[in-house]
Amino acid sequence: MDNICKVCGIKSTAANLLSNEEVEEMSSNCALIPFAKGEQVIRQGVFSTNIVYLRSGLAKIHIHGPYYEQIVRIVKAPSYMGLPTTIGDKINQYSVTVIEDSEVCFINLETFRSFLKENTDFGYQIMMELCQSELELYQCCSNRTQKQMRGKIADVLLDFADRIYCSDTFHIPITQEEFGNLIDASRESVSRVLSEFEHDGIISTDGRKIDILNKKLLLKIGENG
Amino acid sequence: MDNICKVCGIKSTAANLLSNEEVEEMSSNCALIPFAKGEQVIRQGVFSTNIVYLRSGLAKIHIHGPYYEQIVRIVKAPSYMGLPTTIGDKINQYSVTVIEDSEVCFINLETFRSFLKENTDFGYQIMMELCQSELELYQCCSNRTQKQMRGKIADVLLDFADRIYCSDTFHIPITQEEFGNLIDASRESVSRVLSEFEHDGIISTDGRKIDILNKKLLLKIGENG
DNA sequence: GTATCTTTGTGATATAAATCACATGCCTTT
DNA sequence: AAAGGCATGTGATTTATATCACAAAGATAC
């Protein structure tokens, strides 16, 4: 059996705390699988059977709402996906779908659990990551509801530029419909505000391609709601 | 030194997994303090220095938003408060204020950390609780934005009845202004919908006292948004 | 017990954003 | 290359809810 995890250059911070024997054990209980844009990795409502690690690519976390499928957030690799729903609850409480071609590692849940129980450094690191993502959710909660559309759209554009693509020129990886579901707005409103931003010289667009021209103003719009 | 934690009848599930020696150590590094309604236990923006355990009472978790202080959720004792912001980040990312007279245990952070590192059962249990609260936040996120006022108000009333007070008759522990901040609505709208519910015979009110008369209908309003 | 502040109730008006409607553009499939 | 389907742009209209305004009722302080 080849020890694929050992040679993997993009292991998680937690996995780097595992011993050689543990890495080997992980390797034997882990599968690296390519996912094409649009394929679903975790499905809300079904049993969770594996830990999911997004090795490369980009994914959206989404959840059934009363009216539409709400996109809660967009996660960039490398990152575990859905830890709380996998280790905390038997049934997935939300879905994860890849929005760019990605690589996903499926790690056997029992193997992962045994690391948690036996390697306290590993457990501690995973716990820190859970804490971090919970804190981000709190932020999410208050921004989502108090800001108005222009502010929320500005925030998302800045998030793409700064966190996801690390460039002021990028390609929006979701449709305007999904963009709306991410910020709780209608597709039409997203389109209108984007046009408005372009008209005001804040961005330039070419299809899904976005160029941020006046970042300072965009930041200000984001702050003021 | 008296071992107050040993005789405490409402220890957390995690604390019940500690050894006698550990309980004794916790006892020596822990203070039980009464809090009066309205007093703040955790303040956003300052250093976190202790683990906070709400032993009895009721508290609200709130966070600065761009326009108002958003109440994220209401937590009933017994429960740890603000674990992610205490162990995950040095600076509190949100505030916790007691909304009924309560008892709070402050546990030394380093003591708690040492339990996490040395007692894997304890650590595992804390991790499960973190997972659980993160999942609740996801739910929060989608309900908060997709439902309209009547639905959100119905949900909160049902939550008070079923989770918080376990009775269809109860006293609302927050002002209508705060009620609004919890569901992202204006104070006036809350007042209006409550009047409406009373007029429709769904609830009866006497000041802050609420009696749920038609729970089935309330559930339906909550579901339909 | 009176005065002051806070909380609540309710009408009138304003407004952000949804919805509806339809045109246009773009990708994919054959 | 044509056809069909999905994604986008933009105007007109509707609607839920905020905001404004003020009165009444409770709570708290003096």
Side-chain angles (χ1 to χ4, degrees):
Chain A
M1 174 138 293
D2 40 341
N3 194 335
I4 56 163
C5 295
K6 187 174 183 178
V7 297
C8 171
I10 40 185
K11 278 202 286 287
S12 68
T13 313
N16 277 320
L17 300 169
L18 296 174
S19 68
N20 283 336
E21 295 75 45
E22 286 170 328
V23 170
E24 204 162 322
E25 196 191 333
M26 178 148 88
S27 228
S28 325
N29 290 283
C30 166
L32 168 60
I33 300 190
F35 271 71
K37 181 178 172 161
E39 286 186 307
Q40 193 163 359
V41 182
I42 293 178
R43 186 176 300 267
Q44 181 171 1
V46 310
F47 276 96
S48 54
T49 49
N50 286 284
I51 297 289
V52 170
Y53 177 66
L54 186 70
R55 186 176 185 266
S56 69
L58 201 61
K60 62 176 179 183
I61 294 182
H62 47 115
I63 187 167
H64 299 333
Y67 289 112
Y68 53 87
E69 187 74 10
Q70 169 129 29
I71 302 184
V72 180
R73 54 179 166 173
I74 293 182
V75 180
K76 183 191 179 184
S79 171
Y80 288 102
M81 303 298 304
L83 278 185
T85 205
T86 311
I87 62 181
D89 198 307
K90 284 184 193 68
I91 292 181
N92 291 322
Q93 300 295 302
Y94 49 82
S95 301
V96 175
T97 301
V98 142
I99 55 176
E100 279 179 1
D101 292 350
S102 303
E103 292 173 303
V104 174
C105 302
F106 289 94
I107 304 163
N108 180 277
L109 182 53
E110 285 319 311
T111 307
F112 194 86
R113 275 226 176 85
S114 73
F115 294 157
L116 286 180
K117 296 226 168 187
E118 283 151 32
N119 184 327
T120 53
D121 289 338
F122 180 82
Y124 194 76
Q125 177 59 35
I126 292 293
M127 197 176 291
M128 291 305 110
E129 291 180 24
L130 282 171
C131 286
Q132 194 50 47
S133 87
E134 186 167 340
L135 290 179
E136 280 166 26
L137 270 181
Y138 274 101
Q139 282 305 333
C140 234
C141 252
S142 76
N143 284 335
R144 198 183 284 274
T145 49
Q146 286 188 39
K147 291 189 181 178
Q148 50 196 79
M149 272 179 5
R150 287 168 57 89
K152 291 189 286 187
I153 290 177
D155 283 346
V156 171
L157 292 178
L158 289 166
D159 189 50
F160 281 136
D162 296 341
R163 183 179 61 97
I164 310 278
Y165 294 112
C166 307
S167 157
D168 287 356
T169 301
F170 56 88
H171 207 82
I172 298 183
I174 50 177
T175 66
Q176 290 187 0
E177 175 94 46
E178 291 175 301
F179 199 137
N181 294 346
L182 177 60
I183 59 165
D184 303 297
S186 69
R187 186 221 106 214
E188 293 93 327
S189 297
V190 173
S191 175
R192 257 185 273 268
V193 171
L194 252 24
S195 300
E196 216 175 295
F197 282 175
E198 172 150 46
H199 178 263
D200 295 349
I202 301 171
I203 58 174
S204 83
T205 69
D206 175 18
R208 293 251 185 108
K209 189 167 158 285
I210 296 281
D211 241 288
I212 296 182
L213 303 176
N214 189 342
K215 202 162 187 174
K216 216 175 263 181
L217 187 49
L218 206 55
L219 274 161
K220 208 167 159 190
I221 293 171
E223 272 167 28
N224 295 345
Chain B
M1 173 137 293
D2 39 341
N3 194 332
I4 59 163
C5 295
K6 187 175 181 181
V7 296
C8 172
I10 40 184
K11 280 202 285 288
S12 69
T13 312
N16 277 318
L17 298 170
L18 295 174
S19 68
N20 284 336
E21 295 74 46
E22 285 169 327
V23 170
E24 206 162 323
E25 196 191 333
M26 178 147 89
S27 228
S28 324
N29 290 283
C30 166
L32 169 60
I33 300 193
F35 270 71
K37 181 178 170 162
E39 287 186 306
Q40 194 164 359
V41 183
I42 293 178
R43 186 177 301 269
Q44 181 171 3
V46 308
F47 276 96
S48 55
T49 49
N50 287 284
I51 296 290
V52 171
Y53 177 66
L54 187 70
R55 186 175 185 266
S56 70
L58 201 62
K60 62 176 179 182
I61 295 181
H62 46 115
I63 188 167
H64 299 332
Y67 289 111
Y68 54 86
E69 187 73 11
Q70 169 127 33
I71 301 184
V72 180
R73 55 179 164 172
I74 292 183
V75 180
K76 184 192 179 182
S79 171
Y80 288 102
M81 303 297 305
L83 278 185
T85 202
T86 311
I87 61 180
D89 200 308
K90 285 186 192 66
I91 291 181
N92 291 322
Q93 300 295 301
Y94 51 83
S95 301
V96 174
T97 300
V98 142
I99 55 176
E100 279 179 2
D101 293 349
S102 303
E103 293 173 303
V104 174
C105 302
F106 289 95
I107 305 163
N108 179 276
L109 183 53
E110 285 319 312
T111 306
F112 194 87
R113 274 226 177 87
S114 74
F115 295 157
L116 286 180
K117 293 225 169 188
E118 283 151 32
N119 185 327
T120 52
D121 289 338
F122 180 83
Y124 193 75
Q125 177 60 34
I126 292 293
M127 197 177 290
M128 290 307 110
E129 292 180 24
L130 281 171
C131 287
Q132 194 49 47
S133 86
E134 184 166 342
L135 290 179
E136 281 166 26
L137 270 180
Y138 274 102
Q139 281 305 332
C140 232
C141 253
S142 75
N143 283 335
R144 199 183 283 274
T145 47
Q146 287 188 40
K147 289 188 181 180
Q148 52 197 78
M149 270 181 4
R150 288 168 57 88
K152 289 189 286 187
I153 290 178
D155 283 346
V156 171
L157 293 178
L158 290 166
D159 188 51
F160 281 136
D162 296 341
R163 182 177 63 95
I164 310 279
Y165 295 112
C166 306
S167 159
D168 287 356
T169 302
F170 56 87
H171 207 83
I172 299 183
I174 50 177
T175 67
Q176 289 188 2
E177 174 94 46
E178 291 175 301
F179 200 138
N181 293 347
L182 178 61
I183 60 166
D184 304 298
S186 70
R187 188 221 105 214
E188 293 94 326
S189 297
V190 172
S191 176
R192 257 185 272 267
V193 171
L194 250 24
S195 300
E196 216 176 296
F197 282 176
E198 173 150 45
H199 178 264
D200 296 349
I202 301 171
I203 60 174
S204 83
T205 70
D206 175 18
R208 292 251 187 107
K209 189 168 160 283
I210 297 279
D211 240 290
I212 296 182
L213 303 176
N214 190 341
K215 201 162 186 174
K216 214 174 264 178
L217 186 48
L218 207 55
L219 274 161
K220 208 168 162 189
I221 293 170
E223 272 169 25
N224 295 346

